[in-house]
Amino acid sequence: EPVMRSGTLESGAPVVDWKAVKGPLDPEWRLFGRAASDDKASIVAFLAAFDALKASGRKPGVNIKVVWEGEEEAGSPHLADVLTDNKARLQSDLWLIGDAPVHPSRRQMLYFGARGSLTLELTVYGPLHPLHDGHYGNWAPNPAVMAAELIARMRDDDGRILIPGFYDDVTPLTAAEKAAIAALPPVEADLKRQFGIGRSEGSEGLTASTMRPALNVRGIRSGQVGAEATNAIPSEATISIDFRLAPGERPQAVRRKVEAFLAQAGWTLADKAPDLATRLAHPRLVGLAWGDGYPALRTDMTTPAAQAVVAAADKAAGYPVAVLPMMGASVPIYLMNDVFAVPVVGLPIVNHDNNQHAPNENMRLRNLWDGIDTYAAMMAELSW
Amino acid sequence: EPVMRSGTLESGAPVVDWKAVKGPLDPEWRLFGRAASDDKASIVAFLAAFDALKASGRKPGVNIKVVWEGEEEAGSPHLADVLTDNKARLQSDLWLIGDAPVHPSRRQMLYFGARGSLTLELTVYGPLHPLHDGHYGNWAPNPAVMAAELIARMRDDDGRILIPGFYDDVTPLTAAEKAAIAALPPVEADLKRQFGIGRSEGSEGLTASTMRPALNVRGIRSGQVGAEATNAIPSEATISIDFRLAPGERPQAVRRKVEAFLAQAGWTLADKAPDLATRLAHPRLVGLAWGDGYPALRTDMTTPAAQAVVAAADKAAGYPVAVLPMMGASVPIYLMNDVFAVPVVGLPIVNHDNNQHAPNENMRLRNLWDGIDTYAAMMAELSW
């Protein structure tokens, strides 16, 4: 694991005088709070780095334009319009993206893309109301069982998506991208211990697995469990899914493939509240609620701008940073590439074990401090 | 459908003077309330019939002993002790059971057995806490998917149980039982309309389907759905199941078969809160919480006592009543047979569409009135 250090400028002077600010704080302490890591940390780190540069009398080595997007968790419905409407004002040579965590090895990391995203909620319709399962079980269809079978037919428990043709459009990794993945420090054994899991899906390792499209079941609800369970056939089952898309896949094409699979598997697509005639006419009824979704982006790691970012990050960190061809998570950075056609590089700072999107989200102090250093060095030293 | 009528005694006089009590009430009206049908109705009907007999100055044709069980929905944990402790006091020639609904054709019905029952809650363990499914999906195992696959491997969506050897112990139906089932009026098309279902599980029809053991999924819970869904791999999944057992099966043997299947399918049985070492050592961990359960009973329909009950019921109804070799639902009437070794016959009165164990439980007035007549006629006229 890299030794903690402060970023230094060409002069050798530290960007920030940590002795003064850090005082007795243990760098392993964490700040807990909603959005502490995702995504308040990168905003605060950027502002702190900017202030520190200013206080030190240094001018940035490059012109800086700042875009803060507040709707990313809601699918960024207005970002495309904002970027397009302000295209001239936002024109630049490179985009650096602050979202996401660093590598699970705790090394500083750069990412050159992100998977796309598409959500889907399925409602499997059973009887109009719950039925006594002694009198009618084995005869009246059980939507919880139908939902289970549907999931098992869409995806195996090694992460492979079984929907026909799902991988057809996926752009393969380049040799450079495969080499970058192979060069990443192994993290799987540590993560298994952290997560308390006795196996992984697939045997390719974390990063290779997350280069592929994913079908994640986020939740299932049907009937009742625990003390509330009654001997009843549930009236419906709900499955919440998010797809992670790989480069080459478009949300509309994924949607068509899923719907074609459902039709081929004997399912009829239903409205939110199918009427009696519809229910009687179709043996397997499912309602679909699609999110908007957006595609993935994986950019060229070999451009001069990209190489300059890697060099500056290596220098700030004091070791070769982890270079990820694409992040498994989704941020709509395809938009920057679409609108501006310039390199887009992710420069995350927060700890990977930050519990983002879950209870007890946190920010490790050392990541915050290292992040401020990295941002400061990037602003001060980037050139190509 | 049978014409509404009042039971009559040998004298030809009605047991109850319905003109006085029914007034302007529409027999299709329903009483709504928790337990309105299951099982307040049979208690009230019995008392009303007994009062009516008494008021008419008639003596019952048989000696009557009454047992009311208040813990049936909780698995009747004390019934065996009560019956055994009071064996001499409760000795009799025949047990009539008031629980359960009449045939879906709305005909009066007798049943000569009931399936057994056994509940099981499975907890599939995933990561220690929910994980961001962009960063870790496709790599960290998803317990919702594992639960779906587990259900799909235990049972198909036609009700067939796929657990090896599950049907081995099941006692086959006799020729008389098969003939009784074949003689039942068809109800499937009507029920499909009532329930709004476009298919049934299997093609044997309702009664034949419910003669077999059943694996009913009562509920599934994992992660979140709807507006609460987040892009996270859930930390666990819970499946609530009740098995319905057929004659020949014992709860302990079913338990052994399920656990052998799980072991063969690569699952390790875990305690309620498996520790880290256990989680890391086993790729597929599942916690099981078994209910006590009890076996099925299917009694001989050809004994003199059984035939006398059929004859009295036919006479009270004014048409040949539906005769069911065994009810799909479970009541622990095997106990009466075990302890007393006498015929046990179910004499239900409530409507099949009573929503028992579900919201809007109800009792159809006509069933209540017919039930009072039937009980009164049975007490007054039964003999063999």
Side-chain angles (χ1 to χ4, degrees):
Chain A
E1 216 175 331
V3 176
M4 183 180 166
R5 57 187 293 287
S6 290
T8 50
L9 303 180
E10 282 170 79
S11 64
V15 176
V16 181
D17 180 5
W18 286 126
K19 285 202 190 76
V21 284
K22 289 175 184 169
L25 299 179
D26 183 333
E28 291 297 337
W29 284 359
R30 299 185 184 212
L31 294 166
F32 286 83
R34 172 57 56 227
S37 261
D38 181 23
D39 213 14
K40 287 175 185 158
S42 64
I43 298 170
V44 169
F46 172 82
L47 294 174
F50 199 81
D51 280 351
L53 266 190
K54 207 172 165 186
S56 74
R58 295 269 313 199
K59 279 205 156 46
V62 290
N63 288 323
I64 297 169
K65 298 178 183 179
V66 181
V67 177
W68 280 317
E69 155 62 325
E71 296 184 316
E72 185 259 331
E73 300 295 356
S76 298
H78 303 99
L79 184 57
D81 286 347
V82 170
L83 296 182
T84 308
D85 292 350
N86 296 281
K87 189 169 175 179
R89 189 182 283 175
L90 294 174
Q91 199 66 53
S92 66
D93 304 299
L94 167 72
W95 280 74
L96 288 175
I97 309 292
D99 199 11
V102 301
H103 196 251
S105 63
R106 300 210 187 280
R107 289 181 183 245
Q108 183 54 271
M109 187 181 91
L110 298 170
Y111 58 88
F112 289 84
R115 282 194 290 189
S117 171
L118 180 61
T119 60
L120 169 61
E121 186 152 291
L122 301 101
T123 304
V124 174
Y125 292 100
L128 282 164
H129 53 82
L131 296 176
H132 190 292
D133 70 19
H135 295 305
Y136 300 110
N138 262 18
W139 184 78
N142 184 315
V145 172
M146 293 167 77
E149 189 176 271
L150 184 51
I151 291 171
R153 288 186 68 169
M154 288 197 292
R155 180 205 199 273
D156 71 16
D157 72 357
D158 260 349
R160 250 183 308 272
I161 298 169
L162 308 173
I163 295 166
F166 201 90
Y167 297 103
D168 288 356
D169 302 333
V170 174
T171 308
L173 294 168
T174 65
E177 289 163 346
K178 285 181 188 168
I181 293 168
L184 291 169
V187 292
E188 285 78 2
D190 279 347
L191 288 181
K192 282 183 182 173
R193 272 191 296 276
Q194 278 177 42
F195 300 160
I197 54 178
R199 72 175 182 107
S200 61
E201 294 188 339
S203 56
E204 301 160 288
L206 173 65
T207 304
S209 293
T210 51
M211 294 298 109
R212 288 187 283 108
L215 189 168
N216 296 306
V217 176
R218 310 190 295 179
I220 317 179
R221 278 284 178 294
S222 188
Q224 308 291 337
V225 301
E228 284 74 43
T230 60
N231 291 339
I233 301 168
S235 59
E236 57 185 48
T238 306
I239 309 166
S240 180
I241 284 175
D242 70 289
F243 291 96
R244 300 286 174 173
L245 308 185
E249 295 187 299
R250 305 297 300 188
Q252 277 304 321
V254 168
R255 182 174 168 157
R256 279 194 299 274
K257 281 175 189 176
V258 171
E259 294 184 353
F261 156 77
L262 289 169
Q264 171 268 322
W267 291 88
T268 304
L269 305 192
D271 294 333
K272 202 70 196 151
D275 62 18
L276 186 61
T278 305
R279 286 170 171 269
L280 295 176
H282 303 288
R284 284 175 177 78
L285 266 187
V286 63
L288 303 187
W290 289 97
D292 286 336
Y294 56 82
L297 173 72
R298 201 166 65 228
T299 62
D300 189 350
M301 299 187 300
T302 62
T303 61
Q307 290 298 308
V309 174
V310 174
D314 283 354
K315 189 172 174 196
Y319 59 85
V321 301
V323 173
L324 207 63
M326 179 173 71
M327 185 168 64
S330 303
V331 279
I333 54 177
Y334 78 97
L335 278 176
M336 289 75 174
N337 195 258
D338 274 9
V339 177
F340 301 102
V342 296
V344 179
V345 184
L347 179 64
I349 63 170
V350 302
N351 43 304
H352 72 286
D353 50 358
N354 65 38
N355 287 1
Q356 69 183 87
H357 298 192
N360 295 322
E361 177 164 350
N362 66 82
M363 165 83 218
R364 183 170 164 260
L365 282 187
R366 177 156 155 188
N367 279 76
L368 181 59
W369 295 336
D370 286 355
I372 296 169
D373 285 353
T374 302
Y375 280 179
M378 199 64 65
M379 286 189 269
E381 313 223 3
L382 193 63
S383 68
W384 69 92
Chain B
E1 214 176 333
V3 176
M4 182 179 166
R5 57 187 293 286
S6 290
T8 51
L9 303 180
E10 283 169 80
S11 65
V15 176
V16 181
D17 179 4
W18 286 127
K19 285 203 189 75
V21 282
K22 289 176 184 169
L25 299 179
D26 183 334
E28 292 297 336
W29 284 0
R30 300 186 185 213
L31 293 166
F32 286 84
R34 172 58 57 226
S37 260
D38 181 23
D39 214 12
K40 288 174 185 157
S42 64
I43 298 170
V44 168
F46 173 81
L47 294 174
F50 199 81
D51 281 351
L53 266 191
K54 207 171 164 187
S56 74
R58 295 269 312 199
K59 279 204 155 46
V62 291
N63 288 323
I64 297 170
K65 298 177 183 180
V66 181
V67 176
W68 280 318
E69 154 63 324
E71 296 184 315
E72 184 259 330
E73 300 295 357
S76 297
H78 303 98
L79 184 57
D81 287 347
V82 170
L83 296 182
T84 309
D85 292 351
N86 296 280
K87 191 170 173 179
R89 188 182 285 175
L90 294 174
Q91 199 67 54
S92 66
D93 304 298
L94 166 72
W95 279 74
L96 288 176
I97 309 292
D99 199 11
V102 301
H103 196 251
S105 63
R106 298 210 189 281
R107 288 181 184 246
Q108 183 55 272
M109 186 181 91
L110 298 170
Y111 58 88
F112 288 83
R115 283 194 290 189
S117 171
L118 180 60
T119 60
L120 170 60
E121 186 152 292
L122 302 100
T123 304
V124 173
Y125 292 100
L128 282 164
H129 53 82
L131 296 177
H132 190 292
D133 70 18
H135 295 305
Y136 301 110
N138 261 18
W139 184 79
N142 185 315
V145 172
M146 293 167 78
E149 190 177 271
L150 184 50
I151 291 171
R153 288 186 67 169
M154 287 197 293
R155 179 204 199 273
D156 71 15
D157 71 357
D158 260 347
R160 249 182 310 273
I161 298 169
L162 308 174
I163 295 166
F166 201 89
Y167 297 102
D168 288 355
D169 302 332
V170 174
T171 308
L173 294 168
T174 65
E177 289 164 345
K178 285 181 188 168
I181 293 168
L184 291 169
V187 292
E188 285 77 3
D190 279 347
L191 288 180
K192 282 184 182 172
R193 271 191 297 276
Q194 278 178 41
F195 300 160
I197 53 178
R199 71 175 182 107
S200 61
E201 293 189 338
S203 55
E204 303 159 287
L206 174 65
T207 304
S209 294
T210 51
M211 294 298 110
R212 288 188 283 108
L215 189 169
N216 297 305
V217 176
R218 310 190 296 179
I220 317 179
R221 280 282 178 295
S222 188
Q224 308 291 336
V225 301
E228 283 75 42
T230 59
N231 291 339
I233 301 167
S235 59
E236 58 185 47
T238 306
I239 308 167
S240 180
I241 283 174
D242 70 289
F243 291 96
R244 301 287 173 172
L245 308 185
E249 296 186 298
R250 305 296 299 186
Q252 278 304 319
V254 168
R255 182 174 168 157
R256 278 194 300 274
K257 281 175 189 177
V258 171
E259 294 183 354
F261 156 77
L262 289 169
Q264 172 267 321
W267 291 89
T268 304
L269 305 193
D271 295 333
K272 202 70 197 151
D275 62 17
L276 186 61
T278 305
R279 286 170 170 270
L280 294 175
H282 303 289
R284 284 176 177 76
L285 266 187
V286 63
L288 303 188
W290 288 98
D292 286 336
Y294 56 81
L297 173 72
R298 203 166 63 229
T299 61
D300 188 350
M301 298 188 301
T302 63
T303 62
Q307 291 297 308
V309 173
V310 174
D314 284 353
K315 188 172 175 195
Y319 58 86
V321 302
V323 172
L324 207 63
M326 179 173 70
M327 185 168 64
S330 303
V331 279
I333 54 177
Y334 78 97
L335 279 175
M336 290 73 174
N337 195 258
D338 274 10
V339 176
F340 302 102
V342 296
V344 178
V345 184
L347 178 64
I349 63 170
V350 303
N351 44 303
H352 72 287
D353 50 358
N354 65 37
N355 287 0
Q356 70 183 86
H357 298 190
N360 296 322
E361 177 163 350
N362 66 82
M363 165 81 218
R364 184 170 164 261
L365 282 187
R366 177 155 153 188
N367 280 75
L368 181 59
W369 295 337
D370 286 354
I372 296 169
D373 285 351
T374 301
Y375 280 178
M378 199 63 64
M379 286 188 270
E381 314 224 2
L382 193 62
S383 69
W384 68 94

Short mmCIF file of all heavy atoms in Angstrom, two decimals, chain B residues 103 173-188 204-209 211 301 321-326:
data_model
loop_
_atom_site.label_atom_id
_atom_site.label_comp_id
_atom_site.label_asym_id
_atom_site.label_seq_id
_atom_site.Cartn_x
_atom_site.Cartn_y
_atom_site.Cartn_z
N HIS B 103 -67.42 -26.85 -1.77
CA HIS B 103 -66.87 -26.98 -3.11
C HIS B 103 -67.05 -25.67 -3.90
O HIS B 103 -68.03 -24.96 -3.68
CB HIS B 103 -67.60 -28.13 -3.83
CG HIS B 103 -66.89 -28.60 -5.05
ND1 HIS B 103 -67.35 -28.36 -6.33
CD2 HIS B 103 -65.73 -29.29 -5.19
CE1 HIS B 103 -66.51 -28.89 -7.20
NE2 HIS B 103 -65.53 -29.47 -6.54
N LEU B 173 -53.71 -42.78 -4.84
CA LEU B 173 -55.16 -42.75 -4.67
C LEU B 173 -55.75 -44.12 -4.98
O LEU B 173 -55.26 -44.83 -5.86
CB LEU B 173 -55.78 -41.71 -5.63
CG LEU B 173 -55.42 -40.24 -5.38
CD1 LEU B 173 -55.86 -39.39 -6.57
CD2 LEU B 173 -56.08 -39.73 -4.10
N THR B 174 -56.83 -44.50 -4.28
CA THR B 174 -57.53 -45.74 -4.60
C THR B 174 -58.46 -45.50 -5.79
O THR B 174 -58.72 -44.35 -6.18
CB THR B 174 -58.39 -46.19 -3.40
OG1 THR B 174 -59.41 -45.21 -3.20
CG2 THR B 174 -57.56 -46.33 -2.13
N ALA B 175 -58.99 -46.59 -6.32
CA ALA B 175 -59.93 -46.46 -7.44
C ALA B 175 -61.17 -45.69 -7.00
O ALA B 175 -61.69 -44.84 -7.73
CB ALA B 175 -60.32 -47.85 -7.96
N ALA B 176 -61.65 -45.93 -5.76
CA ALA B 176 -62.83 -45.22 -5.26
C ALA B 176 -62.56 -43.72 -5.15
O ALA B 176 -63.41 -42.88 -5.47
CB ALA B 176 -63.24 -45.78 -3.90
N GLU B 177 -61.34 -43.39 -4.70
CA GLU B 177 -60.99 -41.97 -4.56
C GLU B 177 -60.89 -41.29 -5.92
O GLU B 177 -61.37 -40.17 -6.11
CB GLU B 177 -59.67 -41.85 -3.77
CG GLU B 177 -59.86 -42.23 -2.30
CD GLU B 177 -58.57 -42.52 -1.54
OE1 GLU B 177 -57.51 -42.71 -2.18
OE2 GLU B 177 -58.64 -42.57 -0.29
N LYS B 178 -60.29 -42.01 -6.88
CA LYS B 178 -60.21 -41.45 -8.24
C LYS B 178 -61.60 -41.24 -8.82
O LYS B 178 -61.88 -40.23 -9.47
CB LYS B 178 -59.40 -42.37 -9.15
CG LYS B 178 -57.90 -42.29 -8.88
CD LYS B 178 -57.14 -43.21 -9.83
CE LYS B 178 -55.67 -43.30 -9.45
NZ LYS B 178 -54.97 -44.37 -10.16
N ALA B 179 -62.49 -42.21 -8.56
CA ALA B 179 -63.85 -42.09 -9.09
C ALA B 179 -64.58 -40.90 -8.45
O ALA B 179 -65.31 -40.17 -9.12
CB ALA B 179 -64.62 -43.39 -8.83
N ALA B 180 -64.36 -40.70 -7.14
CA ALA B 180 -64.99 -39.57 -6.46
C ALA B 180 -64.53 -38.25 -7.07
O ALA B 180 -65.32 -37.32 -7.27
CB ALA B 180 -64.68 -39.61 -4.96
N ILE B 181 -63.24 -38.17 -7.37
CA ILE B 181 -62.70 -36.94 -7.97
C ILE B 181 -63.31 -36.72 -9.36
O ILE B 181 -63.70 -35.62 -9.72
CB ILE B 181 -61.16 -37.00 -8.04
CG1 ILE B 181 -60.58 -36.98 -6.62
CG2 ILE B 181 -60.60 -35.85 -8.86
CD1 ILE B 181 -59.11 -37.33 -6.54
N ALA B 182 -63.39 -37.82 -10.13
CA ALA B 182 -63.93 -37.70 -11.48
C ALA B 182 -65.40 -37.27 -11.46
O ALA B 182 -65.88 -36.64 -12.41
CB ALA B 182 -63.79 -39.04 -12.22
N ALA B 183 -66.11 -37.60 -10.36
CA ALA B 183 -67.55 -37.27 -10.28
C ALA B 183 -67.81 -35.83 -9.85
O ALA B 183 -68.96 -35.37 -9.87
CB ALA B 183 -68.23 -38.23 -9.30
N LEU B 184 -66.76 -35.12 -9.44
CA LEU B 184 -66.97 -33.74 -8.97
C LEU B 184 -67.36 -32.83 -10.12
O LEU B 184 -66.86 -32.98 -11.24
CB LEU B 184 -65.68 -33.21 -8.32
CG LEU B 184 -65.29 -33.87 -6.99
CD1 LEU B 184 -63.87 -33.45 -6.60
CD2 LEU B 184 -66.29 -33.49 -5.90
N PRO B 185 -68.25 -31.87 -9.88
CA PRO B 185 -68.61 -30.95 -10.96
C PRO B 185 -67.39 -30.09 -11.34
O PRO B 185 -66.63 -29.70 -10.47
CB PRO B 185 -69.72 -30.09 -10.35
CG PRO B 185 -69.68 -30.31 -8.89
CD PRO B 185 -68.98 -31.60 -8.63
N PRO B 186 -67.20 -29.83 -12.64
CA PRO B 186 -66.04 -29.03 -13.05
C PRO B 186 -66.20 -27.58 -12.59
O PRO B 186 -67.28 -27.02 -12.66
CB PRO B 186 -66.05 -29.12 -14.58
CG PRO B 186 -67.46 -29.46 -14.93
CD PRO B 186 -68.03 -30.23 -13.77
N VAL B 187 -65.11 -27.02 -12.11
CA VAL B 187 -65.15 -25.65 -11.57
C VAL B 187 -64.04 -24.78 -12.15
O VAL B 187 -63.99 -23.58 -11.91
CB VAL B 187 -64.98 -25.67 -10.03
CG1 VAL B 187 -66.20 -26.31 -9.38
CG2 VAL B 187 -63.71 -26.41 -9.63
N GLU B 188 -63.16 -25.41 -12.94
CA GLU B 188 -61.93 -24.73 -13.32
C GLU B 188 -62.18 -23.46 -14.14
O GLU B 188 -61.55 -22.42 -13.89
CB GLU B 188 -61.00 -25.69 -14.08
CG GLU B 188 -60.30 -26.71 -13.19
CD GLU B 188 -61.18 -27.88 -12.75
OE1 GLU B 188 -62.35 -27.95 -13.17
OE2 GLU B 188 -60.69 -28.73 -11.99
N GLU B 204 -54.32 -31.36 -14.79
CA GLU B 204 -55.16 -32.41 -14.21
C GLU B 204 -56.47 -31.89 -13.65
O GLU B 204 -57.35 -32.68 -13.31
CB GLU B 204 -54.42 -33.07 -13.03
CG GLU B 204 -53.09 -33.66 -13.34
CD GLU B 204 -52.29 -33.81 -12.06
OE1 GLU B 204 -51.81 -32.78 -11.52
OE2 GLU B 204 -52.15 -34.95 -11.59
N GLY B 205 -56.59 -30.60 -13.50
CA GLY B 205 -57.76 -30.03 -12.82
C GLY B 205 -57.45 -29.75 -11.37
O GLY B 205 -56.46 -30.26 -10.81
N LEU B 206 -58.31 -28.94 -10.74
CA LEU B 206 -58.05 -28.45 -9.39
C LEU B 206 -57.89 -29.58 -8.37
O LEU B 206 -56.90 -29.64 -7.64
CB LEU B 206 -59.19 -27.52 -8.95
CG LEU B 206 -59.16 -27.04 -7.51
CD1 LEU B 206 -57.95 -26.15 -7.26
CD2 LEU B 206 -60.44 -26.30 -7.15
N THR B 207 -58.86 -30.49 -8.31
CA THR B 207 -58.84 -31.46 -7.22
C THR B 207 -57.68 -32.45 -7.36
O THR B 207 -56.97 -32.72 -6.40
CB THR B 207 -60.18 -32.20 -7.14
OG1 THR B 207 -61.22 -31.22 -7.00
CG2 THR B 207 -60.22 -33.14 -5.96
N ALA B 208 -57.48 -32.96 -8.57
CA ALA B 208 -56.37 -33.89 -8.77
C ALA B 208 -55.04 -33.22 -8.44
O ALA B 208 -54.15 -33.83 -7.84
CB ALA B 208 -56.38 -34.43 -10.20
N SER B 209 -54.90 -31.93 -8.81
CA SER B 209 -53.65 -31.21 -8.51
C SER B 209 -53.41 -31.11 -7.02
O SER B 209 -52.26 -31.20 -6.55
CB SER B 209 -53.70 -29.79 -9.09
OG SER B 209 -53.73 -29.83 -10.49
N MET B 211 -54.32 -33.16 -4.74
CA MET B 211 -54.09 -34.45 -4.07
C MET B 211 -52.58 -34.69 -3.91
O MET B 211 -52.16 -35.52 -3.11
CB MET B 211 -54.69 -35.61 -4.88
CG MET B 211 -56.20 -35.62 -4.99
SD MET B 211 -57.06 -35.79 -3.39
CE MET B 211 -57.75 -34.13 -3.24
N MET B 301 -63.47 -43.86 2.54
CA MET B 301 -64.81 -43.30 2.28
C MET B 301 -65.89 -44.37 2.31
O MET B 301 -67.06 -44.05 2.13
CB MET B 301 -64.83 -42.63 0.90
CG MET B 301 -63.86 -41.47 0.75
SD MET B 301 -64.12 -40.60 -0.83
CE MET B 301 -63.83 -41.93 -1.99
N VAL B 321 -74.18 -34.53 -2.60
CA VAL B 321 -73.15 -33.55 -2.25
C VAL B 321 -71.82 -33.94 -2.90
O VAL B 321 -71.62 -35.07 -3.32
CB VAL B 321 -72.98 -33.45 -0.71
CG1 VAL B 321 -74.29 -33.06 -0.05
CG2 VAL B 321 -72.43 -34.74 -0.13
N ALA B 322 -70.92 -32.95 -2.99
CA ALA B 322 -69.57 -33.21 -3.51
C ALA B 322 -68.77 -33.99 -2.46
O ALA B 322 -68.76 -33.61 -1.29
CB ALA B 322 -68.87 -31.89 -3.83
N VAL B 323 -68.14 -35.06 -2.89
CA VAL B 323 -67.37 -35.89 -1.97
C VAL B 323 -65.89 -35.81 -2.36
O VAL B 323 -65.51 -36.24 -3.45
CB VAL B 323 -67.86 -37.35 -2.00
CG1 VAL B 323 -66.92 -38.24 -1.19
CG2 VAL B 323 -69.28 -37.44 -1.46
N LEU B 324 -65.11 -35.25 -1.48
CA LEU B 324 -63.69 -35.01 -1.76
C LEU B 324 -62.86 -36.00 -0.93
O LEU B 324 -62.94 -36.00 0.29
CB LEU B 324 -63.36 -33.58 -1.34
CG LEU B 324 -62.23 -32.84 -2.03
CD1 LEU B 324 -62.53 -32.66 -3.52
CD2 LEU B 324 -62.04 -31.48 -1.38
N PRO B 325 -62.05 -36.84 -1.58
CA PRO B 325 -61.24 -37.80 -0.81
C PRO B 325 -60.32 -37.11 0.19
O PRO B 325 -60.03 -37.61 1.26
CB PRO B 325 -60.43 -38.52 -1.88
CG PRO B 325 -61.19 -38.32 -3.14
CD PRO B 325 -61.86 -36.99 -3.03
N MET B 326 -59.85 -35.92 -0.19
CA MET B 326 -58.94 -35.19 0.70
C MET B 326 -59.01 -33.73 0.31
O MET B 326 -59.07 -33.40 -0.87
CB MET B 326 -57.51 -35.72 0.55
CG MET B 326 -56.48 -35.00 1.41
SD MET B 326 -54.83 -35.79 1.32
CE MET B 326 -54.32 -35.40 -0.35
#
